[in-house]
């Protein structure tokens, strides 16, 4: 009886050899296993972000006020424009990858080389753009004040947010040499705020046209609430420090958890894109030297293409969660 069962099942169970479930080779199946496991990882991260945002939805930073930069347009208010361009470039690189895979099916080495090259260029532009976004996010745009309870307050004029530099008058400071004997630790210039709390408070009092914005979002206008001058002065009585830019500890745009998730999730995705670029470059040079021509197929191009489409698809979800919703 046992022998009959063994005879019936012989050759039907996939052992990673000649059998090809769903018409896929062993290598492609392993790539699919990796993609599924990685998709679950990203799903966990995005779910955590979604739950955290839902919990603090009334004080969460507004994406249109955070991602407003565009290269070579200093000072221009271009909300989401560059992020949209980045997304288009990455999606277009997925199209060129499809064309490279199709050319590989037709054993067209010249076209595979050309489309792989375009895919690599698109990936490099995207990663460079993401690094540029990080730089602007870390440096900040306006500056803000953190209160003793950890909340962030910003400043506005005629309903629009303004930078500290637009109204704060810096007072001359006595320079102190940081040496061992005076017990002062050295701090780099980038880590020291441009203004002190006292300068911000004094300048706010001296400029009656400047208003104060709190973290809370108006449910009707979907904008940060601007309080009266009297309330603003009361808030500033609790001022703890001046904040410029964002890091893992504090964020001038609002909740520090927004910055934590932004750095972690976009950084994790950026690492995936960078890894894909490295793989694409390796495959690209193998195409040039004719490795896959000798093998008689371009399956490696198809396998790395699966990975590239995956990171593109993940970015669509990251883009939706961070920038659109």
């Amino acid at each position: 009886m046992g022998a009959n069962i063994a005879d019936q099942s012989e050759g039907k169970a996939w052992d990673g050899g000649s059998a090809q479930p769903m018409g896929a080779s062993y290598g492609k199946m392993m790539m699919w296993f990796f993609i599924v496991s990685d998709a679950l990882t990203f799903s966990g991260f995005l779910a955590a972000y979604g739950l955290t945002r839902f919990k603090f939805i009334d004080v969460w930073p507004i994406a249109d006020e955070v991602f407003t930069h565009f290269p070579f347009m200093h000072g221009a208010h271009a909300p989401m424009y560059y992020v949209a361009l980045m997304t288009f470039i990455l999606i277009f690189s997925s199209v060129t990858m499809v064309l490279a895979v199709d050319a590989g099916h037709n054993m067209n080495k010249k076209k595979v080389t050309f489309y792989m090259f375009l895919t690599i260029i698109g990936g490099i532009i995207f990663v460079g753009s993401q690094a540029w976004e990080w730089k602007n996010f870390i440096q900040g745009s306006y500056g803000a004040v953190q209160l003793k309870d950890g909340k962030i307050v910003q400043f506005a004029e005629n309903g629009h947010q303004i930078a500290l530099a637009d109204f704060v008058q810096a007072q001359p400071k006595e320079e102190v040499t940081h040496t061992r004997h005076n017990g002062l630790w050295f701090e780099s210039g980038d880590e020291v705020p441009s203004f002190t709390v006292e300068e911000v408070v004094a300048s706010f009092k001296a400029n009656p046209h400047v208003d104060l914005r709190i973290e809370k979002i108006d449910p009707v206008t979907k904008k940060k609430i601007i309080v009266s001058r009297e309330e603003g002065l009361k808030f500033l009585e609790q001022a703890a420090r001046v904040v410029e830019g964002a890091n893992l500890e504090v964020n001038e745009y609002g909740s520090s958890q927004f910055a934590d998730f932004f750095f972690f999730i976009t950084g994790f995705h950026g690492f995936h894109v960078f890894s894909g670029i490295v793989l694409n470059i390796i495959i690209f040079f193998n195409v040039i030297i004719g490795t896959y021509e000798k093998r008689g197929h371009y399956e490696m191009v198809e396998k790395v293409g699966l990975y590239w489409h995956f990171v593109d698809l993940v970015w669509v979800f990251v883009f939706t969660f961070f920038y659109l919703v």
Side-chain angles (χ1 to χ4, degrees), residues 9-303:
S9 62
E10 185 177 356
K12 293 183 180 180
W14 185 49
D15 59 1
S18 59
Q20 295 186 342
M22 294 181 289
S25 67
Y26 180 79
K28 286 169 66 175
M29 283 297 295
M30 293 303 103
M31 178 58 76
W32 275 112
F33 288 157
F34 168 76
I35 287 173
V36 170
S37 64
D38 214 25
L40 293 174
T41 303
F42 273 106
S43 298
F45 294 156
L46 292 175
Y49 172 83
L51 289 171
T52 305
R53 176 174 178 174
F54 180 77
K55 183 177 180 180
F56 302 102
I57 192 168
D58 58 337
V59 295
W60 205 248
I62 301 172
D64 282 352
E65 297 179 352
V66 178
F67 307 104
T68 62
H69 302 87
F70 202 93
F72 312 112
M73 294 175 60
H74 181 69
H77 185 71
M80 312 297 290
Y81 289 7
Y82 194 62
V83 179
L85 178 60
M86 287 167 51
T87 303
F88 172 79
I89 291 172
L90 191 63
I91 293 175
F92 184 76
S93 73
S94 205
V95 174
T96 57
M97 177 59 81
V98 169
L99 296 174
V101 172
D102 181 66
H105 289 160
N106 296 319
M107 299 300 291
N108 190 326
K109 176 182 174 181
K110 184 177 180 180
K111 285 189 175 182
V112 173
T113 305
F114 176 69
Y115 290 125
M116 285 289 293
F117 177 76
L118 291 182
T119 302
I120 292 168
I121 295 300
I124 291 173
I125 293 175
F126 177 83
V127 170
S129 299
Q130 200 168 45
W132 185 80
E133 277 286 333
W134 270 43
K135 177 186 74 70
N136 289 308
F137 187 64
I138 293 170
Q139 288 182 346
S141 305
Y142 301 100
V145 170
Q146 186 180 39
L147 306 181
K148 292 178 181 178
D149 60 2
K151 294 179 181 177
I152 296 291
V153 294
Q154 304 163 335
F155 300 89
E157 184 178 1
N158 298 324
H160 300 287
Q161 186 177 1
I162 59 174
L164 295 178
D166 293 337
F167 73 96
V168 178
Q169 294 293 323
Q171 301 299 321
K173 299 180 180 67
E174 181 182 355
E175 293 188 3
V176 179
T177 303
H178 290 233
T179 60
R180 184 186 299 273
H181 75 271
N182 63 16
L184 295 174
W185 291 97
F186 173 77
E187 293 182 296
S188 65
D190 293 337
E191 296 176 351
V192 178
S194 303
F195 309 102
T196 65
V197 170
E198 292 74 19
E199 290 169 345
V200 173
V201 174
S203 297
F204 180 77
K205 292 178 179 178
N207 291 273
H209 60 279
V210 176
D211 298 310
L212 186 139
R213 302 193 332 167
I214 59 176
E215 285 185 341
K216 195 172 181 63
I217 298 175
D218 189 315
V220 177
T221 63
K222 304 299 182 183
K223 294 182 178 180
K224 299 290 184 179
I225 295 176
I226 297 177
V227 300
S228 66
R229 289 276 304 176
E230 292 74 17
E231 289 179 296
L233 289 171
K234 290 182 179 179
F235 274 110
L236 290 179
E237 289 177 359
Q238 302 299 317
R241 62 171 170 171
V242 175
V243 177
E244 292 177 320
N247 52 51
L248 295 177
E249 180 185 358
V250 68
N251 172 18
E252 76 165 45
Y253 301 102
S255 172
S256 61
Q257 291 176 319
F258 175 85
D260 296 342
F261 276 111
F262 177 80
F263 287 127
F264 186 76
I265 295 180
T266 62
F268 192 58
H269 177 266
F271 173 75
H272 278 70
V273 178
F274 176 77
S275 301
I277 292 171
V278 173
L279 291 173
N280 282 337
I281 290 174
I282 294 172
I283 303 302
F284 174 73
F285 281 108
N286 281 337
V287 171
I288 290 177
I289 63 178
T291 300
Y292 308 122
E293 285 283 325
K294 296 173 184 176
R295 293 183 185 178
H297 60 79
Y298 282 83
E299 187 178 294
M300 283 301 297
V301 175
E302 190 171 355
K303 284 189 282 190

